[in-house]
Amino acid sequence: MNSIPEVPLPRNEPVLSYAPGTPERAELKAALQRMSGERIEIPIIIGGKEIRTGDTAEAVMPHNHGHVLATWHKAGEAEIRQAIDSALEAQREWATWPWEDRLAVFLRAADLLATRWRQTLNAATVLGQSKTAYQAEIDSACELIDFLRYNVHFAQQIYAEQPFSGPGMWNRLDHRPLEGFIYAVTPFNFTAIAGNLPTAPAMLGNVAIWKPSDKAVYSGYYLMKLLEEAGLPPGVVNFLPGDPISISEAMLGSRDLAGIHFTGSTAVFQSIWRNVGERIDRYRSYPRLVGETGGKDFIMAHASADVDALATGIVRGGYEYQGQKCSAASRIYVPDSIWPRVKERTLEMISQIRVGDPADFRNFMGAVIDKTAFDKISGYIDHARDADGVEILAGGGVDDSTGYFIEPTLVEVKDSAYRLMCEEVFGPVVSLHVYPEARWSETLEIVDRSSPYALTGAVFATDRSALREADAALRNAAGNYYVNDKPTGAVVGQQPFGGARASGTNDKAGSILNLLRWVSPRTIKETLAPARSFEYPFMAEE
Ligand code: NAD
């Protein structure tokens, strides 16, 4: 075909409301009912083939841990080797596909997800990760559709990026995929991230071995089936659930490791980086390391802040998805002058929050992901209960008898260096420090240096000069910075996402900057009428 194709201009997938009487509400309820009545078996998928090892684990509902949704098979040594071989084999053909054919697969995946697959992925995310209907919709439907459509657009932009050509030559850039495979390691908390990490490199002709989180294998499996239905050739993305340590050991030990696309905790990414560093002389190329990791995300309020907007930011930013967003607001700084009003409004809102089974749409919060998370978060609450200068203003109750439920908890902390103000909790525990209004500037410095992370942060103020001062003081404290809004809810194409310092390599998921990490450009210079003798004019006789 002789054409220079233009991919369809992306636009953000509209978020459906799930209000009573809407068709999406009825469809999701039906999917929830159907899927919670089934118990499926999840194989490993390598080179398009389903493999059952017999070494299995169970996927349960976090809000009803006695309810098993699936039995999933874990990869062993043989499958790990097979996945690497299959990915490398698939790359030979995939890398030679015309780019518009490759990208068409992902456009089709986006449209299938927007239509027929939408409620399957949403229901899997509600049931397996305990998200409410709305939280699932903005994640497993909209954000993933956006990742797919916008990344296709950015891929085309990369291919269009070409050098100038001087007289007598034609210069070109061939944006090659990396040589080898990409190891995609995904977290439990966003189905969209699980979909994005293997597919973003794959669009550019790479192949991926995807190790889903062992806490989100259930939605991961449906995602893999969606990609297959969209026409992704076998072996381009290989689905390899299993023990993270042994799988990672084998992946990092392969000379064909071309890159790692990771999202998860800081400690795990640092261990991966260290392991790659130790083996650097073994690899065919320098593996690209892209990791988006933890956060200790702040809300800094100025005395001029709109109190209702601030309280809403604290409650939505802190407690949606049980505080299990890397961007969740978890340390709040409020001046004493407005604290009584902020306290009243925030406590009033918290008192209205319902926690429970997310299939009951009246609930604003579900359960935390598993027993380990439950114990860790409960430990922080216990510590807060006994610590001096720390008061639990709301919540504090935990109950894991049916599901891993933790009440939305607000803790007031006198010492701004107390551990709850500095460490990532990853649960519905928000800590808050009241500072003297006159110490606004000093408190900005405290916000900047209290934690090793720099992922998201928000400032609430109506006074413009205060906003200016905060903007400068907190410039390096957050990769995603919000003014008069909660620090969560970044939208693909609108607020490219990622943080620096201990929060990651800040390669901005869902932007052209991320995709640039997955190409290795080759420069081609073609001389049109090449020189035919070696002498230059300056060498001629006077
Ligand atoms: P996690 O670090 O426990 O797990 C992430 C992935 O790493 C999983 O697939 C897991 O199986 C794997 N893993 C675990 N131990 C490993 C090891 N030793 N070697 C190799 N791989 C290993 O994180 P999680 O609990 O799934 O997710 C929560 C964390 O992710 C939080 O810290 C959160 O802030 C972060 N997160 C960050 C972003 C971001 O964009 N910055 C987005 C989502 C989540």
Side-chain angles (χ1 to χ4, degrees), residues 201-269:
M203 280 181 198
L204 297 155
N206 295 286
V207 287
I209 297 173
W210 169 27
K211 198 211 74 57
S213 164
D214 39 10
K215 304 168 220 167
V217 177
Y218 183 63
S219 59
Y221 171 67
Y222 285 110
L223 238 165
M224 190 67 199
K225 299 308 282 178
L226 161 68
L227 293 174
E228 286 182 346
E229 188 177 327
L232 193 69
V236 172
V237 173
N238 299 279
F239 178 69
L240 201 70
D243 172 49
I245 296 177
S246 54
I247 295 179
S248 298
E249 191 55 30
M251 296 298 150
L252 271 54
S254 167
R255 90 183 262 278
D256 293 304
L257 177 75
I260 296 179
H261 205 186
F262 175 88
T263 298
S265 57
T266 298
V268 171
F269 187 56

Side-chain angles (χ1 to χ4, degrees), residues 12 37 151 172 204 313 316 345 348 371 421 530:
N12 291 109
N151 282 346
R172 277 168 286 166
L204 297 155
R316 285 188 170 174
R345 212 47 202 109
E348 186 188 323
K371 172 88 175 128
M421 296 296 287

Side-chain angles (χ1 to χ4, degrees), residues 67-285:
H67 188 129
V68 179
L69 295 163
T71 304
W72 55 274
H73 291 258
K74 296 184 188 172
E77 257 178 57
E79 293 71 40
I80 297 171
R81 268 199 313 276
Q82 207 179 329
I84 296 176
D85 293 345
S86 149
L88 296 175
E89 171 68 29
Q91 189 175 32
R92 274 197 273 279
E93 192 190 323
W94 180 240
T96 65
W97 274 36
W99 61 266
E100 61 269 30
D101 286 326
R102 275 201 322 264
L103 297 184
V105 171
F106 300 97
L107 287 175
R108 174 166 156 77
D111 269 42
L112 288 175
L113 180 53
T115 54
R116 258 191 301 120
W117 278 83
R118 190 182 198 110
Q119 299 314 345
T120 304
L121 258 296
N122 278 346
T125 303
V126 170
L127 297 172
Q129 285 138 273
S130 208
K131 290 205 173 189
T132 61
Y134 183 74
Q135 291 299 313
E137 167 74 5
I138 59 173
D139 167 18
S140 44
C142 301
E143 186 168 327
L144 184 49
I145 293 165
D146 290 350
F147 272 135
L148 292 165
R149 290 184 181 149
Y150 279 84
N151 282 346
V152 161
H153 171 74
F154 297 135
Q156 169 163 288
Q157 279 188 336
I158 290 176
Y159 293 150
E161 179 64 31
Q162 293 296 327
F164 295 100
S165 294
M169 67 187 75
W170 186 10
N171 295 326
R172 277 168 286 166
L173 273 184
D174 166 18
H175 297 275
R176 299 173 300 185
L178 308 184
E179 266 188 299
F181 66 88
I182 308 298
Y183 180 37
V185 185
T186 60
F188 79 84
N189 67 335
F190 272 86
T191 305
I193 298 177
N196 183 44
L197 301 199
T199 56
M203 280 181 198
L204 297 155
N206 295 286
V207 287
I209 297 173
W210 169 27
K211 198 211 74 57
S213 164
D214 39 10
K215 304 168 220 167
V217 177
Y218 183 63
S219 59
Y221 171 67
Y222 285 110
L223 238 165
M224 190 67 199
K225 299 308 282 178
L226 161 68
L227 293 174
E228 286 182 346
E229 188 177 327
L232 193 69
V236 172
V237 173
N238 299 279
F239 178 69
L240 201 70
D243 172 49
I245 296 177
S246 54
I247 295 179
S248 298
E249 191 55 30
M251 296 298 150
L252 271 54
S254 167
R255 90 183 262 278
D256 293 304
L257 177 75
I260 296 179
H261 205 186
F262 175 88
T263 298
S265 57
T266 298
V268 171
F269 187 56
Q270 290 186 350
S271 79
I272 288 177
W273 191 297
R274 208 173 290 121
N275 285 341
V276 168
E278 275 166 13
R279 297 159 188 194
I280 199 66
D281 50 353
R282 292 200 209 162
Y283 301 117
R284 189 142 56 132
S285 328

Side-chain angles (χ1 to χ4, degrees), residues 195-463:
N196 183 44
L197 301 199
T199 56
M203 280 181 198
L204 297 155
N206 295 286
V207 287
I209 297 173
W210 169 27
K211 198 211 74 57
S213 164
D214 39 10
K215 304 168 220 167
V217 177
Y218 183 63
S219 59
Y221 171 67
Y222 285 110
L223 238 165
M224 190 67 199
K225 299 308 282 178
L226 161 68
L227 293 174
E228 286 182 346
E229 188 177 327
L232 193 69
V236 172
V237 173
N238 299 279
F239 178 69
L240 201 70
D243 172 49
I245 296 177
S246 54
I247 295 179
S248 298
E249 191 55 30
M251 296 298 150
L252 271 54
S254 167
R255 90 183 262 278
D256 293 304
L257 177 75
I260 296 179
H261 205 186
F262 175 88
T263 298
S265 57
T266 298
V268 171
F269 187 56
Q270 290 186 350
S271 79
I272 288 177
W273 191 297
R274 208 173 290 121
N275 285 341
V276 168
E278 275 166 13
R279 297 159 188 194
I280 199 66
D281 50 353
R282 292 200 209 162
Y283 301 117
R284 189 142 56 132
S285 328
Y286 295 99
R288 302 276 169 94
L289 302 181
V290 175
E292 300 305 334
T293 61
K296 185 67 190 173
D297 311 298
F298 60 84
I299 292 180
M300 173 58 163
H302 183 254
S304 67
D306 172 335
V307 167
D308 286 341
L310 173 61
T312 305
I314 295 171
V315 172
R316 285 188 170 174
Y319 302 120
E320 276 179 327
Y321 192 37
Q322 299 78 266
Q324 299 175 116
K325 298 189 184 189
C326 50
S327 54
S330 68
R331 52 184 175 123
I332 319 289
Y333 304 81
V334 182
D336 49 6
S337 50
I338 60 169
W339 171 230
R341 283 186 297 138
V342 175
K343 182 175 178 181
E344 186 189 342
R345 212 47 202 109
T346 309
L347 291 180
E348 186 188 323
M349 289 185 196
I350 293 175
S351 71
Q352 291 165 16
I353 292 179
R354 288 179 56 129
V355 183
D357 184 340
D360 175 346
F361 286 10
R362 292 168 303 175
N363 290 323
F364 179 79
M365 285 170 54
V368 299
I369 194 72
D370 66 0
K371 172 88 175 128
T372 309
F374 178 85
D375 288 345
K376 179 182 164 204
I377 302 161
S378 307
Y380 273 106
I381 296 175
D382 289 343
H383 195 275
R385 206 169 267 125
D386 298 335
D388 289 337
V390 179
E391 190 188 350
I392 297 179
L393 300 180
V398 304
D399 179 359
D400 66 349
S401 51
T402 308
Y404 303 111
F405 292 111
I406 298 189
E407 286 177 354
T409 301
L410 184 67
V411 178
E412 187 185 345
V413 175
K414 293 264 177 293
D415 175 6
S416 66
Y418 176 61
R419 57 189 295 214
L420 267 178
M421 296 296 287
C422 309
E423 297 169 20
E424 184 179 49
V425 179
F426 221 59
V429 179
V430 174
S431 34
L432 186 145
H433 173 70
V434 179
Y435 68 89
E437 183 186 324
R439 296 183 68 83
W440 154 256
S441 301
E442 292 90 326
T443 308
L444 284 172
E445 279 171 37
I446 291 172
V447 174
D448 182 51
R449 52 162 208 263
S450 287
S451 108
Y453 302 108
L455 191 51
T456 77
V459 173
F460 281 78
T462 53
D463 174 336

